[in-house]
Amino acid sequence: MEQRISIERLEQVVNIFGSFDENIRLLEQEFSVTVVNREGELRVEGEPEDTMLACKAIQALLTLSARGESIGEQNVRYVIGLVRAGKEEQVTELTGDVLCISAKGRPIKPKTIGQKEYIKSVLSNTITIGVGPAGTGKTYLAVAAAVQAFRDKQVNRIILTRPAVEAGERLGFLPGDLQSKVDPYLRPLYDALFDMLGAETYQKYLERGNIEVAPLAYMRGRTLDDSFIILDEAQNTSREQMKMFLTRLGFGSKIVITGDVTQIDLPDGKASGLKEAMRVLRDVEGIGICQLTNSDVVRHVMVQRIVKAYEDYENAKNGGKGKKA
């Protein structure tokens, strides 16, 4: 079976096909079809159902391209997933909505429906809990939202924190002064801020006190007004730490809590404050809880495959019931 799709502009063809035709080759491989560009149209040939699905994917990618999106492997794989789930019409939700502009002028925006819902919650709620596997953009998008809120003068400070707990190690056993001890734990937060602001601007705001990056223990006893506060790696907080942190919230402030409940490094028998908070705060007004999934992973495709392999393993080990929250 052959279907034809008209192309209005040559730039769209270049964008859809990608560098060395890598995008279209991926589509051909996933749907077992062949795609040829002839005389201003794309000709898709294969089994009827495969051809239909491939055409839906191409139309969705054309929609993204027509709205100024640069098409890459991540876009293609995500669109393929939407098409297989019968949700290709949702692709229109992924256009626009620039959250922040990076220091190099790159627009930062949600790349998946899950990320879009996550950011919607961050912008509309006082507290948002974002949970999901590695590579779903939880921390990066939260930092982008914080930077934009600061630029818009909605807040006076950005405070980034995380518990200094990693695989059973303790700060006292690490070399160097206190700053040297905690820096490795906070590196992902530094990296995100450098990307948004640039190193020089980051340093300037840090010296002025507009940006604070510190271990969670430093939050005790404080009231944080007019601040955008991000707690990263929250799965490694204890129940007591989480309650302490949440009650630091002051007037004019916003909190985003991120974590991955499948990567808890607390000692055996120690309950995760994040998991408890998700249960306790589920129905509290002004608090949003967002669950990102494997389909929201925007890193290398291997990360998505690794996450899925572990999910399948856990499901099989638990008799198909999945891992309890």
Side-chain angles (χ1 to χ4, degrees):
M1 176 182 178
E2 181 184 271
Q3 288 193 25
R4 301 186 180 190
I5 301 173
S6 297
I7 303 294
E8 296 179 2
R9 301 194 307 273
L10 179 61
E11 310 91 82
Q12 285 186 301
V13 176
V14 174
N15 198 12
I16 291 293
F17 271 68
S19 178
F20 300 105
D21 297 345
E22 60 185 3
N23 295 340
I24 219 68
R25 295 288 169 258
L26 179 56
L27 279 172
E28 289 179 326
Q29 177 182 341
E30 289 290 327
F31 293 113
S32 300
V33 296
T34 57
V35 182
V36 180
N37 177 29
R38 290 284 186 275
E39 300 174 351
E41 61 184 13
L42 296 181
R43 301 179 185 182
V44 185
E45 185 173 358
E47 294 296 319
E49 184 175 356
D50 294 333
T51 301
M52 178 189 67
L53 292 175
C55 287
K56 286 183 178 181
I58 291 172
Q59 293 285 12
L61 291 171
L62 285 170
T63 298
L64 288 178
S65 180
R67 300 192 181 192
E69 295 288 328
S70 178
I71 307 300
E73 181 182 0
Q74 191 273 328
N75 306 95
V76 177
R77 290 191 179 278
Y78 189 66
V79 163
I80 288 171
L82 289 178
V83 168
R84 293 198 185 282
K87 299 177 180 179
E88 63 276 1
E89 71 281 354
Q90 292 184 355
V91 75
T92 56
E93 299 179 29
L94 297 177
T95 58
D97 295 331
V98 174
L99 180 62
C100 177
I101 302 296
S102 74
K104 295 182 179 179
R106 180 172 59 87
I108 298 167
K109 52 188 169 181
K111 295 182 178 180
T112 70
I113 303 301
Q115 287 188 348
K116 188 179 179 71
E117 291 300 312
Y118 171 53
I119 288 303
K120 181 179 178 182
S121 177
V122 170
L123 298 178
S124 60
N125 288 300
T126 302
I127 298 175
T128 294
I129 299 176
V131 178
T136 50
K138 305 181 298 295
T139 302
Y140 191 78
L141 290 174
V143 172
V147 168
Q148 194 56 45
F150 179 74
R151 286 173 175 169
D152 291 342
K153 302 187 186 305
Q154 297 173 19
V155 297
N156 295 328
R157 286 185 299 174
I158 298 173
I159 299 175
L160 309 180
T161 184
R162 66 191 303 191
V165 177
E166 295 290 342
E169 297 171 2
R170 296 183 183 275
L171 292 178
F173 291 103
L174 297 176
D177 59 17
L178 182 60
Q179 193 63 43
S180 299
K181 291 174 187 289
V182 301
D183 274 356
Y185 296 98
L186 304 171
R187 177 51 55 188
L189 302 177
Y190 288 133
D191 291 344
L193 279 173
F194 288 165
D195 195 24
M196 309 291 171
L197 297 172
E200 290 185 9
T201 302
Y202 164 78
Q203 192 62 38
K204 178 181 70 174
Y205 287 142
L206 188 67
E207 292 171 357
R208 291 179 180 176
N210 296 120
I211 291 178
E212 181 178 346
V213 186
L216 180 59
Y218 283 30
M219 299 298 111
R220 190 173 296 276
R222 301 176 62 184
T223 299
L224 305 173
D225 294 326
D226 300 314
S227 303
F228 198 116
I229 312 147
I230 300 173
L231 171 58
D232 192 33
E233 296 291 332
Q235 74 275 7
N236 290 327
T237 59
S238 67
R239 298 167 63 186
E240 296 77 15
Q241 283 177 318
M242 180 60 75
K243 185 177 179 181
M244 176 277 293
F245 171 75
L246 288 168
T247 54
R248 300 309 93 202
L249 181 67
F251 293 106
S253 291
K254 186 183 289 283
I255 285 177
V256 178
I257 299 169
T258 68
D260 179 357
V261 293
T262 68
Q263 295 189 24
I264 297 175
D265 296 318
L266 292 169
D268 290 342
K270 192 81 170 177
S272 169
L274 175 60
K275 294 177 73 172
E276 181 181 72
M278 291 173 66
R279 293 191 293 267
V280 173
L281 305 176
R282 182 164 297 163
D283 299 320
V284 176
E285 184 179 355
I287 297 179
I289 299 178
C290 298
Q291 183 78 51
L292 297 168
T293 68
N294 183 44
S295 64
D296 297 304
V297 173
V298 293
R299 288 183 187 165
H300 193 285
V301 64
M302 286 305 300
V303 175
Q304 198 169 49
R305 291 172 182 169
I306 289 166
V307 170
K308 186 177 186 307
Y310 273 96
E311 286 179 351
D312 291 344
Y313 173 77
E314 289 294 334
N315 286 336
K317 190 170 69 174
N318 294 324
K321 296 179 181 180
K323 193 175 179 69
K324 294 183 180 180

